[in-house]
Amino acid sequence: MASGSGFPVRSVGILGGMGPAAGADFVRLFVQACTTYLHTNGHAVRDQAFPEHWLVQMPIPDRTQALRTDPQGPAGPALHMLQGMGRLAALGVGSVAVACNTAHVWHGQLQAQFPQLQVLHIAQETARHLQAQGAQQAMVLATAGTYQTGLYDQALSACGIAPLVPDAEGIARLMQGIYDGVKCADLALATQCFGDVLSTMRARYGDVPVIMGCTEIPLALPQATQAQDVQLIDPAWILAQALARQAYER
Amino acid sequence: MASGSGFPVRSVGILGGMGPAAGADFVRLFVQACTTYLHTNGHAVRDQAFPEHWLVQMPIPDRTQALRTDPQGPAGPALHMLQGMGRLAALGVGSVAVACNTAHVWHGQLQAQFPQLQVLHIAQETARHLQAQGAQQAMVLATAGTYQTGLYDQALSACGIAPLVPDAEGIARLMQGIYDGVKCADLALATQCFGDVLSTMRARYGDVPVIMGCTEIPLALPQATQAQDVQLIDPAWILAQALARQAYER
């Protein structure tokens, strides 16, 4: 598919709705990643230089809840995500980014069902990014569901990076910030919860990069005073940049 | 299509890419409009309570330029927009919002080609909103293309509201703010251009509502000191609320 600007680009897709505010923010990040890509590569930034991209935000059952009960059951998110992926595939996109960390537990299934698509993996992209920086350890802030599945543990370990995670009390406080905070539009509560967990972790592990491993965390953690001199890693931003490369380079 | 939250909702679509930053921001506004709708109507705000919605951002030829030369030509935006609308229609959406004011010049064509969809009209929604407030006059800040076509003139006049527009110098300054400012990520320049035009208009017409009739203007005008005590009307926010009602009420 041609962009009309003289260089070929490929249509890409974004599977969102988990939650919808984070999905909308991911589109903003993708547009920003394309702008950065155009600047870096000496192309003019104009409307017609952006690749075609599709976002679907669907009502998808809660990911963490499904992991606690029946991850493959009909009430879980897998079938809903496959339905959305199928329609993105029909639109002719070449790559898809899933705008939710926990949802990547089902990444293997999505990729296996759609071999014609490149389904990006948020934790693997993030681990490769940290590996390129020479990181040896990284803190992971995420949902209980993401911890339970070892999503970041596996991706980081595969790149030789030791994952550092909060204790049970810290995880409960993160969940409070995500569910009672960001998802209910109470950002002040979310900032307080996330900042508390970060304080405790830094007291224990010192100054290492911090992966904001849930798309809702970057909406509130950067405002916390405890986060001011910390290297915050936003996997959504890394994923958005990877998706821009898929559009412009494949 | 059911949302899984107990009340029926309808899938809706957003045609964007004009420009991509404004289209991404329109998704944010739509999610915010849904949140407001859920709160106002006593429903819990959770991921699964949001309607399915699709965004397509495509490389669409410049609207204002086409209006200067050949509005219906093959190099213009009409065929591209019809292509995007066709794919949104195939996805089963019931209503579509077009995230660009100038593009509404082709609204009649889009609506005629897709009678199965409700294509919302940004200027008509805005005029009805001002009429309900009892407004008698409104300033219109827009692109040269939008002025040339009388988009807001017609919609406001039909609602008994007198449109007030800048002179040629003011329009040139708005275009500078949109093309050299927002579209090139120079927001400081954009804020200065838009603020200057607003100053001149207020000196002439006094204190009347100001329609930000280009989706790029709300990204920079509200920050201008000249805009601090002005009733700014954002047609994109009014359109986002109309689209939320289409999803929840139709």
Side-chain angles (χ1 to χ4, degrees):
Chain A
M1 182 145 322
S3 72
S5 65
F7 55 100
V9 299
R10 188 165 79 152
S11 177
V12 297
I14 300 163
L15 183 65
M18 307 170 276
D25 202 58
F26 189 82
V27 181
R28 182 185 66 79
L29 290 174
F30 175 70
V31 170
Q32 192 180 326
C34 291
T35 304
T36 302
Y37 187 94
L38 291 167
H39 274 141
T40 306
N41 291 277
H43 296 290
V45 177
R46 49 196 203 96
D47 292 358
Q48 296 76 26
F50 287 78
E52 178 180 298
H53 52 285
W54 289 85
L55 165 75
V56 56
Q57 302 228 80
M58 305 166 54
I60 294 175
D62 191 81
R63 284 67 61 198
T64 294
Q65 197 180 324
L67 290 172
R68 281 204 207 98
T69 53
D70 181 7
Q72 293 302 333
L79 296 175
H80 291 76
M81 288 195 285
L82 285 167
Q83 196 259 37
M85 289 287 289
R87 291 189 288 165
L88 287 170
L91 290 162
V93 305
S95 293
V96 173
V98 179
C100 171
N101 282 270
T102 312
H104 281 75
V105 173
W106 292 274
H107 174 274
Q109 255 176 290
L110 297 178
Q111 182 63 84
Q113 288 296 320
F114 294 98
Q116 73 272 44
L117 298 180
Q118 171 94 16
V119 185
L120 298 178
H121 191 296
I122 194 166
Q124 289 170 10
E125 294 291 339
T126 302
R128 281 198 287 266
H129 173 86
L130 284 167
Q131 187 181 34
Q133 287 189 358
Q136 307 276 312
Q137 326 178 77
M139 288 185 205
V140 182
L141 304 185
T143 61
T146 298
Y147 289 124
Q148 187 187 325
T149 61
L151 189 73
Y152 277 93
D153 287 358
Q154 289 161 23
L156 291 168
S157 299
C159 289
I161 299 166
L164 308 172
V165 304
D167 59 16
E169 195 185 337
I171 295 173
R173 191 96 172 110
L174 288 175
M175 291 298 276
Q176 185 188 11
I178 293 165
Y179 282 79
D180 301 340
V182 179
K183 285 191 196 290
C184 295
D186 185 349
L187 285 187
L189 173 66
T191 299
Q192 198 182 336
C193 292
F194 300 157
D196 287 350
V197 177
L198 183 59
S199 280
T200 307
M201 296 278 286
R202 294 190 75 199
R204 180 154 178 200
Y205 296 113
D207 200 19
V208 300
V210 175
I211 297 173
M212 299 184 287
C214 166
T215 47
E216 321 254 21
I217 293 178
L219 305 181
L221 177 59
Q223 297 89 303
T225 50
Q226 300 96 325
Q228 291 321 306
D229 54 345
V230 173
Q231 191 196 348
L232 296 178
I233 304 290
D234 182 357
W237 172 234
I238 291 169
L239 185 65
Q241 290 175 294
L243 190 64
R245 286 194 301 273
Q246 289 285 319
Y248 285 120
E249 294 179 0
R250 295 296 284 259
Chain B
M1 181 146 321
S3 73
S5 64
F7 54 100
V9 298
R10 188 165 79 151
S11 178
V12 296
I14 300 163
L15 183 65
M18 308 171 275
D25 201 58
F26 189 81
V27 181
R28 183 185 66 80
L29 290 174
F30 175 69
V31 170
Q32 192 180 325
C34 291
T35 304
T36 302
Y37 187 93
L38 291 167
H39 274 142
T40 306
N41 291 277
H43 297 289
V45 177
R46 48 196 205 95
D47 292 359
Q48 295 76 25
F50 287 78
E52 178 180 299
H53 52 285
W54 290 84
L55 165 74
V56 57
Q57 303 228 81
M58 305 167 55
I60 295 175
D62 191 81
R63 285 66 61 197
T64 295
Q65 197 180 324
L67 289 173
R68 281 204 206 97
T69 53
D70 180 8
Q72 293 301 333
L79 296 175
H80 291 76
M81 289 196 284
L82 285 167
Q83 196 258 37
M85 289 287 290
R87 290 189 288 166
L88 287 170
L91 291 162
V93 305
S95 292
V96 173
V98 179
C100 171
N101 282 270
T102 312
H104 281 76
V105 172
W106 292 274
H107 174 275
Q109 256 176 288
L110 298 176
Q111 182 63 83
Q113 288 296 320
F114 294 99
Q116 73 272 45
L117 299 179
Q118 171 95 15
V119 185
L120 298 178
H121 192 296
I122 195 167
Q124 288 170 10
E125 294 291 339
T126 302
R128 280 198 287 266
H129 173 87
L130 283 168
Q131 185 180 37
Q133 287 189 358
Q136 308 274 311
Q137 327 178 77
M139 288 185 204
V140 182
L141 304 185
T143 62
T146 298
Y147 289 125
Q148 187 188 325
T149 61
L151 190 73
Y152 277 92
D153 287 358
Q154 288 160 23
L156 291 168
S157 299
C159 289
I161 300 166
L164 308 172
V165 303
D167 58 17
E169 195 186 336
I171 294 173
R173 191 96 173 110
L174 288 175
M175 291 298 276
Q176 185 188 10
I178 293 166
Y179 281 80
D180 300 340
V182 179
K183 286 191 196 292
C184 294
D186 185 350
L187 285 188
L189 173 66
T191 300
Q192 197 183 337
C193 292
F194 301 157
D196 287 351
V197 177
L198 183 60
S199 281
T200 308
M201 296 278 286
R202 293 190 75 199
R204 179 155 179 198
Y205 297 114
D207 200 21
V208 301
V210 174
I211 298 173
M212 299 184 287
C214 166
T215 48
E216 322 255 20
I217 294 178
L219 306 181
L221 177 59
Q223 296 90 302
T225 50
Q226 300 96 325
Q228 291 321 306
D229 54 346
V230 173
Q231 192 197 346
L232 296 178
I233 304 290
D234 183 357
W237 172 235
I238 291 169
L239 184 65
Q241 290 174 294
L243 190 64
R245 286 193 302 272
Q246 289 284 320
Y248 285 120
E249 295 180 359
R250 297 294 285 257

